């Protein structure tokens, strides 16, 4: 069945929701005018009011203009959660240049591909984070890619322009239109490397506000950004963007560790945050014995990005005084939330319904037939903020979009409780490691670059902490090959650390299926025996 979650009988209705002909910067400016000296952003001891955010954004956009960065140019941003991330992003939104948001965990291998496809004219980085030197990596990438004119540092830098030295400018610039692409984000990736997703100003403002309505975020709210804000969840569901355009306060946090997070929740009176299931399990463990922090200000805990077991959902409700909100989201578009007043059965066993009444979903079987309520199939979605194609022209549209404009999520789902969506897994092979999506085929290709590895097969194994971990089965002709050698090989290749197999098993052969493919189900049994 096709389900449209509201009043969208006529397709013409969709036009009405885009009546807000504003860019993301216009939205921020409205909030600045209204909330002036109210605190907008907090990062450790650094605090910025809305007016200060306005001044900083003007100064930094001036700096970009002076460097010649203009409407339509792309700027790759690789920063941890920090206030400068927000200033740089809104400065670029203002002048119509497009940030490409890249997770801090990405390394040369991944970024190289993204640069090839997007040709950014600058990279914004900080010196180092969690022991990794981003400046060295940026220097290497700039040498390889002619498009990159500037490495821009948020830290003091003798060789490169630094955000701190940027000054306002009178240079005339071409403002973006409300329906222009505002930024590029990267999908979890169902092929070997992430796909690039263009998000327009009005689509982002629309879904961020709809998310805010669904999670009751307003000017009184304080959002704690724990997950990387380069990802759509913490960036805009409602996340940083939704909270700021509604006049709330955003607090930045570097890690999800309870030692860092609980004092911040207490001191800043955080009202809402979002987590992936692997982090919430750690929180629950610590909360069993940590009674010294008062986290009662937290009213909404969004959990999504990967499967939340109904037992963990129950634990959250039992042990934390906040509302749990299950979140299912895709970088490509559709977002589903449980309602804050959903009954427990719905809350524990579903991911709720799409946030917009204009979202349409259908669930189909392997022959593309629409199937009825309660039956499992692939979830297809279409709606005002779901993309109709990827940024890359070479990504085959047919694999990801139907002729009638639905995006194929690749997720196995069914309709439960009359109109709620329950996600039960992936139809396509994928490892969901603490919310980060990794393709086994990508790890296999990387393993096979090693001279001593003849063949490999990578599978997902359920993991108490990570949700899923990667396990690589390796056939090698060198009996002296060690796991540490392979780990070093991955690091030397400049691969994101979450792609280094969590578990490695050296084997003599692979079990095969009837048609001669590696039998990954059997491999999993080997591990679980
Ligand atoms: P990404 O593009 O990184 O945002 O990943 C989107 C994918 O994450 C979805 O297509 C799902 O496979 C998975 N996902 C997101 N939220 C959930 C959830 N609540 N439960 C299960 N899987 C989820």
């Amino acid at each position: 069945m096709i389900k449209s979650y509201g009043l969208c009988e006529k397709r013409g209705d969709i036009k009405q929701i885009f009546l807000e002909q504003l860019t993301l910067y216009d939205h921020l400016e409205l909030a600045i005018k209204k909330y002036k000296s109210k605190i907008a952003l907090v990062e450790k001891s650094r605090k910025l009011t809305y007016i200060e955010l306005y001044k900083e954004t003007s100064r930094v956009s001036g700096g970009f203009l002076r460097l010649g960065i203009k409407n339509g140019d792309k700027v790759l941003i690789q920063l941890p959660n920090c206030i400068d991330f927000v200033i740089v992003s809104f400065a670029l939104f203002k002048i119509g240049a497009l940030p490409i948001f890249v997770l801090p965990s990405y390394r040369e291998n991944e970024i190289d591909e993204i640069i090839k496809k997007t040709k950014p004219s600058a990279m914004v980085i900080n010196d180092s984070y969690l022991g990794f030197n981003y400046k060295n990596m940026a220097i290497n990438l700039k040498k390889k890619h002619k498009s990159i004119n500037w490495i821009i540092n948020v830290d003091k830098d003798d060789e490169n322009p630094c955000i701190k030295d940027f000054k306002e400018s009178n240079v005339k610039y071409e403002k973006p239109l409300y329906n222009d692409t505002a930024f590029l984000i990267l999908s979890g990736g169902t092929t070997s490397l992430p796909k690039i997703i263009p998000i327009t100003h009005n689509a982002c403002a629309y879904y961020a506000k709809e998310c805010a309505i669904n999670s009751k975020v307003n000017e009184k709210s304080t959002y704690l950004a724990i997950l990387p804000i380069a990802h759509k969840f913490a960036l805009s569901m409602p996340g940083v963007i939704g909270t700021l355009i509604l006049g709330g306060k955003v607090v930045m946090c570097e890690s999800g560790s309870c030692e860092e997070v609980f004092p911040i929740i207490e001191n800043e009176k955080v009202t809402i945050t979002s987590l992936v299931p692997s982090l919430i399990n750690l929180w629950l463990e610590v909360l069993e014995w940590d009674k010294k922090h008062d986290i009662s200000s937290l009213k909404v805990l969004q959990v999504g990005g990967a499967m939340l077991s109904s037992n963990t959902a129950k634990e959250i409700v039992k042990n934390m005084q906040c509302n749990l909100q299950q979140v299912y989201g895709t970088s490509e578009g559709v977002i589903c939330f449980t309602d804050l007043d959903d009954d427990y059965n719905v809350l524990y066993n579903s991911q709720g319904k799409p946030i917009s009444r204009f979202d349409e979903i259908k669930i189909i079987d392997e022959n593309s037939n629409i199937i009825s309520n309660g039956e499992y199939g692939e979830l297809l979605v279409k709606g005002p903020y779901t993309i109709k194609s990827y940024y890359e022209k070479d990504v085959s549209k047919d694999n990801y979009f139907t002729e009638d404009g639905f995006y194929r999520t690749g997720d196995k789902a069914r309709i439960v409780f009359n109109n709620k969506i329950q996600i039960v897994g992936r139809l396509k092979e994928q490892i969901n490691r603490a919310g980060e999506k990794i393709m086994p085929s990508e790890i296999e290709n990387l393993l096979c670059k090693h001279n001593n590895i003849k063949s490999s097969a990578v599978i997902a194994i359920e993991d108490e902490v990570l949700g899923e971990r990667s396990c690589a089965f390796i056939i090698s002709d060198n009996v002296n090959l060690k796991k540490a050698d392979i780990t070093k090989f991955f690091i030397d290749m400049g691969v994101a650390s979450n792609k280094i197999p969590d578990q490695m098993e050296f084997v003599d052969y692979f079990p095969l299926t009837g048609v001669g493919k590696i039998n990954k189900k059997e491999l999993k049994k080997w591990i679980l025996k």
Side-chain angles (χ1 to χ4, degrees):
M1 48 143 264
I2 299 192
K3 227 169 162 46
S4 73
Y5 279 81
L7 313 171
C8 170
E9 257 79 62
K10 290 179 267 138
R11 303 245 31 96
D13 283 4
I14 291 225
K15 286 200 186 112
Q16 289 178 15
I17 57 169
F18 276 179
L19 283 182
E20 271 196 313
Q21 299 188 350
L22 301 173
T23 66
L24 287 171
Y25 184 75
D26 294 335
H27 278 285
L28 181 71
E29 231 177 15
L30 288 177
I32 289 165
K33 282 189 186 131
K34 197 161 169 198
Y35 299 105
K36 298 182 178 77
S37 53
K38 192 171 175 292
I39 297 289
L41 287 160
V42 178
E43 176 195 340
K44 295 188 182 136
S45 60
R46 185 179 182 197
K47 291 191 182 198
L48 239 57
T49 62
Y50 273 85
I51 290 281
E52 286 164 339
L53 176 57
Y54 170 75
K55 289 184 184 152
E56 283 296 89
T57 313
S58 305
R59 186 179 66 74
V60 172
S61 60
F64 282 127
L65 291 170
R66 283 168 194 272
L67 293 179
I69 293 169
K70 56 181 190 316
N71 190 316
D73 285 348
K74 276 146 258 148
V75 176
L76 190 141
I77 301 181
Q78 190 178 31
L79 291 173
N81 290 1
C82 61
I83 289 183
D84 285 331
F85 186 118
V86 181
I87 296 170
V88 166
S89 303
F90 276 98
L92 293 170
F93 295 155
K94 181 178 175 180
I95 62 172
L98 281 63
I100 308 165
F101 295 122
V102 171
L103 292 173
S105 60
Y106 278 29
R107 297 292 178 261
E108 215 168 307
N109 172 62
E110 294 81 23
I111 300 182
D112 197 50
E113 272 308 303
I114 296 161
I115 295 178
K116 263 188 218 154
K117 289 177 176 169
T118 55
K119 305 214 176 338
S121 48
M123 292 178 73
V124 181
I125 53 145
N126 64 341
D127 278 344
S128 68
Y129 170 63
L130 298 179
F132 183 75
N133 189 320
Y134 288 90
K135 197 170 148 184
N136 284 348
M137 180 168 76
I139 292 169
N140 283 345
L141 287 163
K142 183 168 181 286
K143 274 187 209 146
K144 277 200 224 167
H145 296 278
K146 282 206 190 90
S147 75
I148 300 175
N149 297 319
W150 305 104
I151 295 171
I152 300 168
N153 206 332
V154 298
D155 295 319
K156 274 278 169 210
D157 192 320
D158 292 335
E159 299 104 52
N160 299 296
C162 168
I163 296 286
K164 292 187 175 55
D165 303 325
F166 278 11
K167 294 195 174 58
E168 289 212 31
S169 136
N170 294 326
V171 176
K172 290 240 173 323
Y173 64 94
E174 189 192 337
K175 288 186 182 164
L177 299 175
Y178 66 93
N179 53 359
D180 281 346
T181 298
F183 56 88
L184 302 176
I185 48 169
L186 307 167
S187 76
T190 49
T191 54
S192 53
L193 283 162
K195 290 185 295 304
I196 299 163
I197 297 161
I199 310 273
T200 60
H201 287 272
N202 54 353
C204 179
Y206 175 71
Y207 73 70
K209 280 187 167 186
E210 288 293 308
C211 286
I213 293 167
N214 282 277
S215 51
K216 299 210 170 15
V217 162
N218 56 33
E219 77 275 10
K220 295 197 184 106
S221 304
T222 297
Y223 177 78
L224 179 62
I226 297 174
L227 300 174
I229 57 176
H231 192 271
K232 181 174 164 184
F233 193 5
L235 180 72
S236 53
M237 290 168 50
V240 175
I241 292 181
T243 307
L244 285 178
I245 64 181
L246 289 169
K249 176 172 92 176
V250 171
V251 183
M252 294 294 170
C253 178
E254 273 192 356
S255 75
S257 78
C258 301
E259 300 89 79
E260 186 189 356
V261 170
F262 290 170
I264 298 182
I265 297 180
E266 182 171 3
N267 296 337
E268 295 296 336
K269 304 270 174 292
V270 169
T271 59
I272 171 166
T273 191
S274 23
L275 290 182
V276 285
S278 51
L279 274 178
I280 192 62
N281 285 326
L282 294 179
W283 280 36
L284 288 170
E285 268 176 38
V286 173
L287 279 172
E288 268 181 32
W289 51 265
D290 180 350
K291 306 288 174 209
K292 63 179 183 292
H293 292 111
D294 174 10
I295 61 165
S296 59
S297 62
L298 192 64
K299 297 290 174 263
V300 179
L301 178 65
Q302 298 184 304
V303 184
M307 205 85 69
L308 178 70
S309 75
S310 50
N311 282 342
T312 309
K314 281 180 200 159
E315 288 284 299
I316 297 171
V317 170
K318 192 170 139 217
N319 296 315
M320 298 182 71
Q321 290 140 6
C322 54
N323 284 295
L324 164 68
Q325 182 161 58
Q326 287 225 37
V327 173
Y328 162 77
T330 60
S331 303
E332 285 81 354
V334 79
I335 299 165
C336 299
F337 280 8
T338 51
D339 288 332
L340 297 185
D341 55 4
D342 269 335
D343 69 45
Y344 288 132
N345 216 6
V346 171
L347 191 60
Y348 298 154
N349 299 299
S350 87
Q351 284 64 51
K353 60 180 184 356
I355 52 157
S356 162
R357 65 201 175 108
F358 298 101
D359 283 315
E360 285 175 69
I361 66 144
K362 57 182 175 180
I363 298 191
I364 58 164
D365 64 17
E366 59 276 20
N367 299 317
S368 296
N369 296 319
I370 292 169
I371 54 181
S372 48
N373 274 5
E375 286 182 41
Y376 294 108
E378 182 180 6
L379 176 67
L380 269 56
V381 294
K382 170 158 131 178
Y385 58 94
T386 295
I387 57 163
K388 303 270 183 301
S389 62
Y390 285 102
Y391 173 82
E392 303 103 304
K393 303 282 174 284
D394 58 342
V395 173
S396 156
K397 240 183 135 172
D398 296 349
N399 286 345
Y400 300 101
F401 302 92
T402 61
E403 269 177 19
D404 55 348
F406 279 83
Y407 164 62
R408 298 171 190 274
T409 64
D411 290 319
K412 188 171 170 187
R414 62 175 180 162
I415 302 286
V416 288
F417 311 117
N418 202 19
N419 68 346
K420 308 290 178 180
I421 293 167
Q422 184 188 57
I423 305 292
V424 288
R426 291 282 307 163
L427 288 164
K428 296 173 198 158
E429 238 189 314
Q430 199 181 55
I431 302 167
N432 193 332
R433 187 184 189 277
E436 297 288 344
K437 317 301 173 323
I438 302 165
M439 285 309 293
S441 57
E442 184 185 1
I443 306 185
E444 287 160 8
N445 290 337
L446 291 165
L447 282 164
C448 287
K449 290 188 178 169
H450 193 291
N451 284 341
N452 293 135
I453 294 179
K454 283 170 72 178
S455 185
S456 69
V458 174
I459 61 170
I461 303 281
E462 286 78 38
D463 186 281
E464 257 182 45
V465 178
L466 297 166
E468 284 182 352
R469 65 176 187 273
S470 59
C471 175
F473 292 84
I474 296 165
I475 300 181
S476 167
D477 44 16
N478 178 352
V479 286
N480 295 319
L481 184 68
K482 303 265 178 326
K483 294 174 187 172
D485 301 328
I486 298 174
T487 302
K488 181 170 180 305
F489 177 67
F490 270 62
I491 294 169
D492 291 345
M493 278 193 291
V495 173
S497 55
N498 59 9
K499 289 182 191 157
I500 301 174
D502 297 301
Q503 186 175 349
M504 294 182 227
E505 301 291 334
F506 293 97
V507 293
D508 297 327
Y509 69 97
F510 292 138
L512 299 178
T513 64
V515 287
K517 288 187 184 176
I518 297 176
N519 188 337
K520 290 195 169 177
K521 275 193 190 145
E522 191 57 32
L523 281 177
K524 196 163 180 175
K525 284 190 201 152
W526 285 8
I527 287 293
L528 301 179
K529 257 183 216 159

